[in-house]
Amino acid sequence: MKICILGAGKMGTWLTDALCLDHEVAIYDPNLEKLKYIFNTQRLTKLEEITEFAPELLINAVTLKYTIAAFDEVIPYLPKSCIISDISSVKTDFQTYYEGTGMRYVSTHPMFGPTFGNLKSLREHHAIIISQGDHLGKAFFKDFFLSLGLNIHEYSFIEHDETIAYSLSIPFSSSLVFASCMKKQDAPGTTFSKHLDIAKGLLSEDDYLLSEILFNPFSGGQVESIRLKLKELLSIIEDKDTNRMKAFLAEVRENIKE
């Protein structure tokens, strides 16, 4: 398949590595400096070169802030038969936009950043394919994700954003609060060290990526639930209330049961 990837950031270059041996791949970025170390892939810096390449599938891998603008810029240079797609972590208003383009489309979300996405070890990671969209586009991404060993889920646009608000905004917020209270530990415990590794991995991601997860319209309610539970825990600690602590811990253990 002829695939053009928009954006030579971390995720865009990761995708070229994952796809270039099985497909004819090109990557577009007007900043030639970003394309320096990309191999087995055509490097495009001008929109007219996308027309010459004539992709069958376009994967928009720019940050959420610029996703729609990137589509608007590139669509006039695409064949009408090209399937357009995104891998954004928040899908608000995307369905309306896609349907307004008149193009075939598919929307997905590989639920890992390049920092955590080792191509050789993805079997514990997940990917979402949005149920609305082009049948052939969805089939392509299903085959691609299965070839990587990913666990695949299918949700609507709204179900995706609700799921991401729960599965990412809670751990992201918790890690950010943990890291914001950080002070140097000469003899950190095992649990502290594990939390620290997670926080370091999270904070090595792009600021826009972190922002777009937390700016999901469904994230506020999830972060508010953390605030309420912290308030409850603080009250128990201040009162040194053993019975309430026991009940609180029992509730938490029930929540994390397999």
Side-chain angles (χ1 to χ4, degrees), residues 178 182-185 187-197:
F178 167 79
M182 183 66 56
K183 63 179 183 180
K184 185 169 174 60
Q185 296 280 325
T190 302
T191 303
F192 182 95
S193 295
K194 287 181 178 179
H195 276 283
L196 182 58
D197 287 342

Side-chain angles (χ1 to χ4, degrees), residues 117-153:
N118 180 340
L119 273 174
K120 296 178 181 177
S121 180
L122 290 174
R123 299 198 178 274
E124 292 181 3
H125 291 287
H126 300 259
I128 293 173
I129 298 174
I130 301 301
S131 54
Q132 299 99 322
D134 182 81
H135 174 72
L136 290 177
K138 290 191 290 184
F140 169 82
F141 277 103
K142 184 175 182 180
D143 289 345
F144 172 50
F145 291 150
L146 284 175
S147 74
L148 297 174
L150 291 164
N151 301 286
I152 301 172
H153 311 271

Side-chain angles (χ1 to χ4, degrees), residues 14-226:
W14 182 88
L15 281 165
T16 63
D17 286 343
L19 291 165
C20 68
L21 296 182
D22 298 311
H23 302 276
E24 188 179 349
V25 178
I27 186 165
Y28 168 78
D29 198 301
N31 185 348
L32 184 59
E33 197 67 24
K34 289 185 176 181
L35 301 175
K36 255 183 169 178
Y37 303 107
I38 293 174
F39 304 100
N40 302 313
T41 298
Q42 292 189 43
R43 293 173 283 184
L44 314 178
T45 58
K46 297 177 182 176
L47 291 167
E48 293 77 12
E49 293 174 322
I50 296 176
T51 303
E52 292 172 21
F53 181 70
E56 298 166 89
L57 173 67
L58 177 88
I59 305 176
N60 191 335
V62 305
T63 58
L64 179 64
K65 183 178 180 181
Y66 302 109
T67 299
I68 299 299
F71 274 138
D72 285 341
E73 184 179 41
V74 169
I75 283 175
Y77 296 86
L78 298 174
K80 291 297 180 186
S81 58
C82 182
I83 301 170
I84 59 174
S85 69
D86 74 278
I87 54 170
S88 298
S89 49
V90 180
K91 307 292 185 184
T92 310
D93 298 328
F94 274 32
Q95 183 177 6
T96 302
Y97 176 80
Y98 275 131
E99 291 174 354
T101 66
M103 303 282 288
R104 298 158 68 197
Y105 71 87
V106 60
S107 186
T108 70
H109 180 194
M111 292 182 66
F112 54 88
T115 302
F116 298 107
N118 180 340
L119 273 174
K120 296 178 181 177
S121 180
L122 290 174
R123 299 198 178 274
E124 292 181 3
H125 291 287
H126 300 259
I128 293 173
I129 298 174
I130 301 301
S131 54
Q132 299 99 322
D134 182 81
H135 174 72
L136 290 177
K138 290 191 290 184
F140 169 82
F141 277 103
K142 184 175 182 180
D143 289 345
F144 172 50
F145 291 150
L146 284 175
S147 74
L148 297 174
L150 291 164
N151 301 286
I152 301 172
H153 311 271
E154 189 165 315
Y155 297 126
S156 69
F157 280 102
I158 291 177
E159 288 170 340
H160 168 273
D161 281 3
E162 290 175 336
T163 300
I164 294 307
Y166 172 75
S167 63
L168 293 184
S169 62
I170 287 180
F172 276 27
S173 300
S174 301
S175 294
L176 289 173
V177 171
F178 167 79
S180 68
C181 297
M182 183 66 56
K183 63 179 183 180
K184 185 169 174 60
Q185 296 280 325
D186 292 327
T190 302
T191 303
F192 182 95
S193 295
K194 287 181 178 179
H195 276 283
L196 182 58
D197 287 342
I198 291 171
K200 284 179 177 178
L202 178 67
L203 289 165
S204 69
E205 298 288 1
D206 182 79
D207 287 356
Y208 284 118
L209 173 65
L210 301 179
S211 298
E212 65 191 47
I213 295 294
L214 295 172
F215 292 166
N216 179 334
F218 296 100
S219 290
Q222 299 297 338
V223 178
E224 173 66 7
S225 69
I226 295 175

